[in-house]
Amino acid sequence: DSGVTQTPKHLITATGQRVTLRCSPRSGDLSVYWYQQSLDQGLQFLIHYYNGEERAKGNILERFSAQQFPDLHSELNLSSLELGDSALYFCASSERDGMNTEAFFGQGTRLTVV
Amino acid sequence: DAKTTQPNSMESNEEEPVHLPCNHSTISGTDYIHWYRQLPSQGPEYVIHGLTSNVNNRMASLAIAEDRKSSTLILHRATLRDAAVYYCILRGYNNYGQNFVFGPGTRLSVLP
């Protein structure tokens, strides 16, 4: 158990819908990272938050948004869903900005868009 | 961004040592070398990291070349449970905006 909790574990929804994925980092961890893993794409970095502030953006679509709340949990919002958004979504947390620390990953949310 | 190059796949026999190479010729002086692995159907898992000196922990050893342009992750006795994709990542302030980006990694197969 990494200490990072992602909910829900599985989500099935229809095209055009909007979903919210939640990540609770390890206690005290200030950094949260989000990743998308499709079968043919590997792990794609989406976004990084540190202590409530956005620090870096990767290949995140405009239909996707994220935020980190004062209690440090984070949510990834996916809207106008398309079939291609079906993937595993992982979040990771680390206690600082992560250069000299390890990061801990959750077990992921499997999103299926039908 | 500083990038890494790893072989697509490697094979090892169970209970033998495994040396997983990583080239990072454009590494900057402040980049840390991190290794993560991803077992099937799981999230990535931290393995080890270092800056200049070789590092050991309960999972593996990390050997860093003197010029830091390459490194090797060493699994001392491979088990079937070590079959995974291994990622070598550079993390530093030069590429802070994209400092936790995964490449394709090396898929390690362990044969019984």
Side-chain angles (χ1 to χ4, degrees):
Chain A
D1 180 9
S2 67
V4 178
T5 303
Q6 290 189 246
T7 56
K9 286 188 169 44
H10 302 275
L11 194 50
I12 301 175
T13 189
T15 54
Q17 295 297 304
R18 172 190 169 93
V19 297
T20 297
L21 312 183
R22 181 187 171 102
C23 173
S24 295
R26 289 190 327 147
S27 177
D29 282 0
L30 300 178
S31 271
V32 171
Y33 303 83
W34 284 97
Y35 294 85
Q36 178 192 57
Q37 188 169 38
S38 308
L39 274 176
D40 58 349
Q41 292 275 331
L43 275 159
Q44 298 293 313
F45 168 71
L46 295 178
I47 199 162
H48 169 210
Y49 277 86
Y50 179 80
N51 202 19
E53 292 187 5
E54 181 186 305
R55 281 295 181 92
K57 264 187 176 178
N59 300 320
I60 187 165
L61 299 172
E62 285 190 12
R63 301 183 285 108
F64 296 1
S65 65
Q67 58 184 130
Q68 186 178 27
F69 294 86
D71 67 352
L72 301 177
H73 91 271
S74 179
E75 293 180 357
L76 180 67
N77 300 296
L78 315 176
S79 62
S80 303
L81 284 167
E82 302 175 358
L83 296 178
D85 298 327
S86 297
L88 264 171
Y89 291 84
F90 290 104
C91 78
S93 75
S94 64
E95 65 178 327
R96 296 187 298 276
D97 54 23
M99 310 303 172
N100 192 21
T101 61
E102 62 182 286
F104 297 84
F105 281 77
Q107 287 302 300
T109 292
R110 182 174 294 280
L111 173 66
T112 303
V113 182
V114 297
Chain B
D1 292 341
K3 294 200 186 308
T4 64
T5 305
Q6 301 177 250
N8 290 335
S9 62
M10 291 183 65
E11 261 185 14
S12 172
N13 293 319
E14 198 177 9
E15 298 189 6
E16 289 187 358
V18 183
H19 290 233
L20 296 162
C22 181
N23 287 320
H24 29 79
S25 59
T26 59
I27 191 170
S28 77
T30 55
D31 285 343
Y32 287 84
I33 302 160
H34 285 246
W35 284 82
Y36 282 77
R37 71 180 186 181
Q38 187 173 21
L39 279 63
S41 304
Q42 294 191 25
E45 172 187 35
Y46 169 82
V47 178
I48 201 166
H49 80 282
L51 184 62
T52 56
S53 305
N54 295 343
V55 184
N56 301 297
N57 67 19
R58 64 174 177 80
M59 287 181 69
S61 295
L62 176 60
I64 301 173
E66 200 169 326
D67 63 5
R68 302 211 322 128
K69 293 184 186 301
S70 65
S71 61
T72 303
L73 178 70
I74 303 165
L75 307 179
H76 296 286
R77 281 180 75 242
T79 68
L80 297 178
R81 197 190 170 279
D82 291 322
V85 179
Y86 287 78
Y87 301 96
C88 169
I89 303 163
L90 299 183
R91 305 199 65 193
Y93 292 97
N94 277 357
N95 62 342
Y96 186 83
Q98 297 279 339
N99 77 357
F100 204 6
V101 177
F102 287 74
T106 296
R107 183 173 297 277
L108 175 66
S109 302
V110 180
L111 307 176

